[in-house]
Amino acid sequence: MTRNIISKSMFVFCVFSLAAAFMATGTFAVQKQVRAKKTCLMGECWKRINVNKLGEVGCPAPMLIVNNVLREMNGYLARRDELNLSESQVKELRLIKYRCHNTLIKKRAELNLLSIDLLDNMSSNEYDLAKVDDLTGKLKNTCHSMLSEIISKVIEARRVLTPEQRKKAKEIAL
């Protein structure tokens, strides 16, 4: 039973680390520094993830995935001239990006609400283990759902490009 509680506590820590990372993005940016970021096109930024760092900061894997999805979506729109995207392609990519952000906002809110419920339960001396199990299961399912949905959006965005544009995107990204 103690292992179960420790396991669930670690899961909660992971969720809160993820939530903190979402909220802190850009908070500590230095205004005079400008860093050039490589454009992420056709999944090239996914190849640059240092998988050796995955276990060093709480639970970063979902945040890495979310960031790469957003970078890739932004990359297509930022390089629209070089990729020779038509107005209809730009419009479709913007719509996919909007739906991706919509999903992220809803799922993050759901994760935060579930986390608050879990914290409320765990802060009591008479916590309900069945409710803890239920809430951690819901947190897991919501996180999985969020990642699945945004990954499907980036795949949808890749399909908007023609084979020639995808080839050009890979050349630009390298």
Side-chain angles (χ1 to χ4, degrees), residues 69-113:
V69 165
L70 296 175
R71 285 178 61 212
E72 187 168 337
M73 296 266 196
N74 289 330
Y76 296 127
L77 292 170
R79 299 290 187 109
R80 65 178 156 251
D81 292 336
E82 293 166 83
L83 295 172
N84 296 318
L85 297 179
S86 69
E87 283 302 313
S88 64
Q89 285 176 308
V90 170
K91 187 176 181 179
E92 191 171 351
L93 286 169
R94 283 186 178 143
L95 182 60
I96 293 167
K97 182 180 166 187
Y98 164 78
R99 289 195 309 256
C100 184
H101 279 285
N102 192 339
T103 296
L104 283 171
I105 290 167
K106 287 178 182 176
K107 295 297 181 180
R108 285 177 184 164
E110 195 175 332
L111 285 169
N112 287 337
L113 290 171

Side-chain angles (χ1 to χ4, degrees), residues 14-142:
C14 182
V15 169
F16 280 112
S17 297
L18 176 63
F22 282 131
M23 289 185 253
T25 305
T27 304
F28 302 105
V30 176
Q31 290 191 1
K32 291 186 181 182
Q33 281 185 333
V34 177
R35 286 192 291 156
K37 287 186 179 180
K38 287 187 176 182
T39 304
C40 181
L41 300 167
M42 294 304 298
E44 287 302 312
C45 59
W46 297 77
K47 295 176 184 175
R48 294 190 292 265
I49 293 175
N50 183 354
V51 293
N52 295 325
K53 301 240 180 213
L54 286 179
E56 290 182 9
V57 185
C59 186
M63 191 62 194
L64 287 171
I65 293 167
V66 169
N67 283 340
N68 279 347
V69 165
L70 296 175
R71 285 178 61 212
E72 187 168 337
M73 296 266 196
N74 289 330
Y76 296 127
L77 292 170
R79 299 290 187 109
R80 65 178 156 251
D81 292 336
E82 293 166 83
L83 295 172
N84 296 318
L85 297 179
S86 69
E87 283 302 313
S88 64
Q89 285 176 308
V90 170
K91 187 176 181 179
E92 191 171 351
L93 286 169
R94 283 186 178 143
L95 182 60
I96 293 167
K97 182 180 166 187
Y98 164 78
R99 289 195 309 256
C100 184
H101 279 285
N102 192 339
T103 296
L104 283 171
I105 290 167
K106 287 178 182 176
K107 295 297 181 180
R108 285 177 184 164
E110 195 175 332
L111 285 169
N112 287 337
L113 290 171
L114 288 167
S115 297
I116 289 169
D117 288 347
L118 183 61
L119 278 176
D120 186 43
N121 188 330
M122 291 298 293
S123 66
S124 166
N125 288 336
E126 302 296 323
Y127 62 89
D128 181 357
L129 190 56
K131 186 159 183 166
V132 169
D133 281 338
D134 181 53
L135 288 168
T136 55
K138 286 179 181 177
L139 280 164
K140 178 180 151 190
N141 291 338
T142 303

